[in-house]
Amino acid sequence: MSTDSSTAAPGTDSGTTLKVAIIGTGVIGAAWATGFLSAGHSVTAFDPAEGAEERLREQVTNCVEDAGSGSAASLLEHLTFAPSLAEAVADADFVQENGPERLEVKQSMLAEIDAAAPEVAVIASSTSGFSPSQLSAQATKAPGRIVVGHPFNPAHLVPLVEVVPSSATSAEVIERAMETYRAVGKKPILVRAELPGHVANRLQAAMWQEAYSLVDRGVVSVSDIDTAISYGPGLRWAILGPLAQQSLSGGAGGMRHVLDHLGPPQEVWMHDLKKVHLGEDLKEKLIAGVDEELQDRDPAVLAKQRDDMLLELIALKRKYGELP
Ligand SMILES: NC(=O)c1ccc[n+]([C@@H]2O[C@H](COP(=O)([O-])OP(=O)(O)OC[C@H]3O[C@@H](n4cnc5c(N)ncnc54)[C@H](O)[C@@H]3O)[C@@H](O)[C@H]2O)c1
């Protein structure tokens, strides 16, 4: 860790600059590299794929342009590409692992990172669903400093990060991970149990399950599901979370009133939800429905529109102050 402002990377006023190692520089690794560089940290990256360094530089440039946060050239001066994983993490304060989502690959990468990184470094994995206990199974030096730090796509724009420790993780490591993410403008939450899919993906899965079931049963079309959320509750959920939002539905009586009043029927709906199996028939229905819904759309243009609107939404949230 460096506190010498003469060597500080751009964007750092006077405070601490971290040496961050980014291991695996695909979609998510590039987004993390952009975030850490933009916050003034120095980044050393490693990815064994042919041409990975050029792709990373290009992706960081694209992410910076997408975010409308100035020029990438000065940030890229603080990016180094290492010839091996061990060299990338050798003097890291913080490691963010973004390799393929395959348990055996991640276990071996994290064992190698743990062996080569300084014992004080925090090691976070971007895994979408594995637990830190699974990920650290082959690590022998200091496995307790391996946590999940799960971002959300597009990860250079969306603030949420889910931090999941294992039972071997100290309170100090948890706080350092949370603080590191806060300091790069993220919004971390601490997940207190190791569950498949952490929290946000489980919440999405609960909704996808019912959406798929309703389509499967012919209750509504794919595009009706999307309208029901994106022109309905989804509009509110981006502003206030679903529970704070629910309390507003209780008027002056707040959450107590809404739960007393609407809790009983809500419980009937909850217990009526169906489980689905994602078999071939259902997959075909969903694919055909989305193809029809998006038939005149270019996915690249759609993704750009989504990202532009996300930026405006995030700016609006800032303008109105911190909401829950
Ligand atoms: N894409 C998403 O929406 C998303 C969102 C949140 C989290 N994640 C998680 O982030 C991680 C990365 O996902 P992605 O979408 O960036 O995948 P990706 O396929 O774009 O990138 C994976 C990268 O890992 C590299 N790699 C393979 N073996 C390696 C090794 N031994 N050492 C270092 N690098 C290695 C590959 O060359 C590739 O560049 C996964 O764990 C995924 O679950 C993905």
Side-chain angles (χ1 to χ4, degrees), residues 117-148:
E119 201 153 336
V120 291
V122 172
I123 302 171
S125 168
S126 295
T127 181
S128 298
F130 297 124
S131 69
S133 297
Q134 288 174 301
L135 296 171
S136 59
Q138 291 170 19
T140 51
K141 191 161 101 184
R145 52 38 191 285
I146 297 175
V147 297
V148 168

Side-chain angles (χ1 to χ4, degrees), residues 21 25 53 109 123 139 155 185 189 192 199-200 202 234 248 262 265 292:
T25 58
E53 178 170 4
M109 285 174 72
I123 302 171
I189 61 164
R192 294 179 181 83
V199 166
R202 291 174 73 89
L248 294 187
L262 292 176
E292 191 185 342

Side-chain angles (χ1 to χ4, degrees), residues 1 27 68 95-96 107 191 205 260 284 310:
M1 201 180 294
V27 176
V95 182
Q96 185 78 39
Q107 283 175 332
V191 180
D260 285 345
E284 287 308 323
L310 263 176

Side-chain angles (χ1 to χ4, degrees), residues 233 235-237 239-250 255 258 324:
L235 282 172
R236 307 189 306 200
W237 289 340
I239 296 164
L240 270 184
L243 300 182
Q245 171 59 49
Q246 190 177 21
S247 79
L248 294 187
S249 303
M255 193 65 163
V258 82

Side-chain angles (χ1 to χ4, degrees), residues 23-29 46-49 85 98-101 106 109 126-128 150-151 153:
I23 305 302
T25 58
V27 176
I28 295 299
F46 170 72
D47 190 306
L85 184 153
N98 321 280
E101 187 74 0
K106 286 211 183 279
M109 285 174 72
S126 295
T127 181
S128 298
H150 175 241
N153 223 10

